[in-house]
Amino acid sequence: MPWNDEFECMPVEKLKAFQLEKLKETVSWVAEKVPFYSNRFKEMGIGPDDLNSLEDAAKLPFTVKDDLRDNYPFQLCAVPLEDVVRVHASSGTTGKPITGPYTAEDLEQWTECMARNLYAAGVRKEDIVQNAYGYGLFTGGLGFHQGATKIGSTIVPTSSGLTERQITLMQDFGTTVLFSTPSYALTIAERAEELKVNCRDLPVRVGIFGAEPWTAPIRREIEERLGIKAQEAYGLTELCGPGVAFDAEDQNGLYINEDHFLAEIVDPQTLESVAEGEKGELVFTSLQRRAMPMIRYRTKDITRLWREPGQDGRTFIRMEKVTGRSDDMLIISGVNVFPSQIESLLLDLEEVEPQYRLVVRKKGYLDQLVVQVEGKKEIYEAGEDRRHEVEGKIAAHIKGNIGISVEVDLVEHKFIARSEGKALRVVDERPKQLR
Ligand code: DLL
């Protein structure tokens, strides 16, 4: 049974009518309150009255991250600051941060979305949940905290880091649920193995992971090493944080909280809508947010959407696991490559650990990709010949599957810095103007 069957199982036609009503309300709200939007609507000659079906959302202008940066910190805010009860922010890797202000009602709705996510993963009142997402400006810590509070679970708010203490608390408190990024879950698993703690013997039975792309083989690796089910949370600061989409126990795509977010897929080049089921860039419009609603926000996340009757009667549209962002895509010898493709291929091979880094360099006019991956201890220590043999095997596996030639560097154990939050997978050493 879902957390909120009224919405999660709403008949599709009724859900769409609800979305249309909320879309019109949101467009009227921002047209009235946010000059940035009212100016754009005027320029395009569009307003709430032009929205007669959900497809008409495609007439609205897009919003991109730079719009948020240019209007930093609160120029896109639709309420006076005295009505804002919390501000989160995300810094990204370059430029100014972007802000996420919330009214009290926005916070409640976010909490509701998170409760749906956690409940679908099997979290209940009786659970002891260890929250190893960072608490602070990042939305992960407090977002998960609020959802678990709503369900009534016992929360252990460890935040990220201090890995040994995470493991001690898991043992001492009998943690049953873990929240963290997937890369931090692997860091915890590895440290536990070093400390000779067998996580599979601990009471922890489920984890909810997100905030960064992770492939199906990494999911299996986490499940195997921690002896848990690895469930998923997806979201972004611009919309609320985690709680935008979540999977259920069947792990078959992520249900989008459609009463809060209208999802579309567009071709990232032409920006035209693509047909349901086709891959492209995910675009969201907030439907109930008051402090800073987003109109057609381009996430840069690549996925596809489909609708079919879901687990426990859910009717929400589903999105495929996001394994890449359009801005993480590398073009190597003319071939488009996502880091996640390399990740999946590396995990096919038993000679390596799931710890890798992709370094992009310029060699003459060409882009060169160096795959640094940690060899299993016994392989790395078996000497140079064996290392070269494995490097050759990895390069051939990548060439055979995606057709690009890469240089492989089998590195020693712990060469790659361990992640406590979002892992850094790509290091771009090309001069800025040549990327
Ligand atoms: O990462 C919110 C979050 C916190 C989600 C905790 C899940 C768990 P941002 O820091 O603004 O917000 O980063 C948002 O992270 O556009 C995706 O590219 C990526 N991302 C988030 N969740 C997933 C996921 C939080 N499950 C950006 N799979 C998004 C793949 C994800 N990528």
Side-chain angles (χ1 to χ4, degrees), residues 258-278:
E258 269 191 298
D259 51 331
H260 291 272
F261 310 103
L262 177 66
E264 300 168 70
I265 300 285
V266 300
D267 178 313
Q269 258 79 47
T270 64
L271 299 184
E272 294 293 326
S273 303
V274 305
E276 200 170 295
E278 304 263 312

Side-chain angles (χ1 to χ4, degrees), residues 130 132 158 161-175 178 184-199 202-204 226:
Q130 189 160 325
T158 49
L162 298 177
T163 308
E164 253 182 75
R165 191 183 65 177
Q166 302 276 0
I167 296 161
T168 308
L169 293 179
M170 276 162 80
Q171 292 175 294
D172 293 352
F173 293 178
T175 299
L178 175 68
Y184 192 45
L186 280 180
T187 303
I188 294 176
E190 183 182 66
R191 190 75 195 110
E193 286 153 18
E194 287 165 2
L195 295 168
K196 306 264 177 303
V197 174
N198 186 351
C199 289
L202 297 178
V204 55
L226 287 173

Side-chain angles (χ1 to χ4, degrees), residues 327-346:
D327 47 8
D328 279 349
M329 191 180 79
L330 304 168
I331 304 179
I332 307 294
S333 318
V335 180
N336 299 350
V337 185
F338 285 104
S340 57
Q341 288 172 284
I342 308 260
E343 177 179 296
S344 293
L345 294 172
L346 291 175

Side-chain angles (χ1 to χ4, degrees), residues 65 90 98 133 138-140 144 209-214 232-238 241-243 254 299 301 321-323 325 422:
K65 207 178 220 80
S90 126
I98 56 115
Y133 282 109
F138 176 54
T139 52
F144 275 79
F209 306 108
E212 61 184 359
W214 53 310
E232 178 147 17
Y234 167 88
L236 49 154
T237 314
E238 294 85 332
L254 288 87
T299 63
D301 291 325
K321 198 166 174 22
V322 171
T323 48
R325 292 174 53 81
K422 297 187 189 231

Side-chain angles (χ1 to χ4, degrees), residues 341-381:
Q341 288 172 284
I342 308 260
E343 177 179 296
S344 293
L345 294 172
L346 291 175
L347 270 97
D348 285 343
L349 303 168
E350 56 187 22
E351 291 90 347
V352 301
E353 295 287 346
Q355 299 289 348
Y356 69 97
R357 203 164 66 174
L358 308 180
V359 183
V360 196
R361 296 190 181 130
K362 272 272 168 221
K363 196 174 179 186
Y365 290 108
L366 294 179
D367 285 337
Q368 185 198 25
L369 182 62
V370 183
V371 178
Q372 296 177 328
V373 57
E374 286 183 13
K376 286 248 166 74
K377 203 162 175 285
E378 62 279 12
I379 303 285
Y380 189 82
E381 287 171 358

Side-chain angles (χ1 to χ4, degrees), residues 13-30:
E13 286 316 308
K14 196 171 164 197
L15 183 59
K16 288 190 171 176
F18 181 85
Q19 286 185 302
L20 182 59
E21 183 194 319
K22 294 291 170 193
L23 175 68
K24 288 181 174 185
E25 270 176 37
T26 303
V27 170
S28 304
W29 177 254
V30 294

